[in-house]
Amino acid sequence: IWQTALFGMGWGVGSVCFGLGLYLLGQSIAYTVMMGIIAVGGALAPMLATNPAVVFTSGGLLILLSMVVMIVGVVYCGFAGKLRDETGAATSAEQLDDQQNFAFAFLVCLAGGVFSSMFNLAFHYGNPIAIVAAKQLGEASSSFRANSPIWALAMLGGFIPNLLYCIYVLSRRGTWARFRQPQIGAYWLWAIVMGALFAAGITCYGIGASNLGKLGTTVAWLVFVSSGILVANLWGVFCGEWTGAPAEAIRRMRWGSVLLLISIVLVSFGNHLLP
């Protein structure tokens, strides 16, 4: 119980650092660095904790290869975003001309990646909770209801750092009164919808990971992160974010998306080959 809650709290710290990293280092570079760390950290740690020897099997090596392909895909997408944004206003990263400030921003991004990957560790180490819940419910441990106690603990742990940071920023800037402004009901509604969609996605992830065998948390995490980036790229295209972008930026975004798709295929096939 404490492992799940503490890893969830680490994820909450990572979420705060993730947002700060994007602001300090710029969207493209920061996103590339942090998503790469999140993908590898969240996938590799459960794999090594479950059975390190499996790394040297054909399936394990294929899963490692999928991680490499995924990181290359993330880098391609990150550089595509950088090329696209170069035609616009200067990013925060371009304003960080002081080496010390850049080092601080990079450390924030590093913390954002490492701590954010703990979300998957919370689910991995919370598996005994799902087993106990399944026995009480008379269901499989991969069911929606059996997995729910894990997410309740992990998200509660993640809620605390976010709440404390929000209180700190609102108090320091004196912006509490903005919550009393008229006609803000739509913002509350969209925030609730966004949270509900996130919870629904995480619930589906938990069910899928529980049904993918011993390395389910590793395999599912790679598919989960790759799919998230792919969908974000697609929405960017539909919303016109790439309209007028340089041809080189579009080409890199396409190659990055293709590599992410290949990584999903590789990790799926690697999981199939596991003993």
Side-chain angles (χ1 to χ4, degrees):
I1 289 175
W2 281 108
Q3 280 180 325
T4 304
L6 288 174
F7 278 127
M9 189 174 294
W11 162 66
V13 173
S15 298
V16 173
C17 291
F18 195 101
L20 289 173
L22 292 175
Y23 172 74
L24 292 172
L25 199 58
Q27 290 277 341
S28 300
I29 299 176
Y31 188 79
T32 301
V33 171
M34 290 189 285
M35 288 306 298
I37 296 172
I38 290 170
V40 173
L44 197 57
M47 186 178 184
L48 296 177
T50 303
N51 185 7
V54 78
V55 174
F56 302 102
T57 64
S58 57
L61 291 173
L62 202 54
I63 291 174
L64 290 178
L65 177 61
S66 73
M67 292 185 195
V68 175
V69 174
M70 180 185 175
I71 295 303
V72 176
V74 171
V75 170
Y76 259 79
C77 291
F79 276 105
K82 187 176 187 299
L83 287 172
R84 181 195 64 188
D85 297 338
E86 280 178 349
T87 56
T91 62
S92 300
E94 292 169 336
Q95 299 168 8
L96 288 169
D97 51 358
D98 185 87
Q99 187 173 1
Q100 186 176 359
N101 288 339
F102 183 86
F104 172 74
F106 189 82
L107 286 174
V108 171
C109 290
L110 187 63
V114 171
F115 282 101
S116 293
S117 66
M118 291 184 180
F119 193 65
N120 200 35
L121 296 179
F123 179 73
H124 178 78
Y125 286 101
N127 186 57
I129 299 173
I131 294 174
V132 173
K135 290 180 180 178
Q136 294 289 330
L137 295 167
E139 300 176 356
S141 59
S142 60
S143 69
F144 163 74
R145 293 200 299 170
N147 275 306
S148 294
I150 300 177
W151 298 128
L153 281 168
M155 291 186 180
L156 178 61
F159 168 73
I160 295 172
N162 282 278
L163 175 66
L164 293 176
Y165 181 73
C166 287
I167 291 173
Y168 163 72
V169 173
L170 288 166
S171 300
R172 184 169 63 88
R173 298 181 181 176
T175 50
W176 285 99
R178 294 188 180 182
F179 287 104
R180 297 195 298 271
Q181 290 182 110
Q183 299 178 337
I184 64 168
Y187 296 113
W188 286 99
L189 176 62
W190 285 117
I192 292 171
V193 170
M194 191 164 63
L197 289 172
F198 175 77
I202 290 300
T203 300
C204 292
Y205 165 77
I207 296 172
S210 299
N211 283 282
L212 282 174
K214 294 180 180 180
L215 292 183
T217 47
T218 292
V219 174
W221 185 252
L222 292 171
V223 174
F224 180 72
V225 175
S226 296
S227 301
I229 299 172
L230 279 171
V231 173
N233 286 342
L234 286 174
W235 275 114
V237 172
F238 293 146
C239 294
E241 291 181 5
W242 293 89
T243 303
E248 178 66 15
I250 296 175
R251 185 179 69 85
R252 293 198 180 195
M253 187 271 288
R254 287 174 177 170
W255 272 112
S257 299
V258 169
L259 288 170
L260 290 172
L261 282 171
I262 292 173
S263 72
I264 293 175
V265 174
L266 288 174
V267 73
S268 302
F269 189 58
N271 187 57
H272 177 71
L273 293 178
L274 290 174

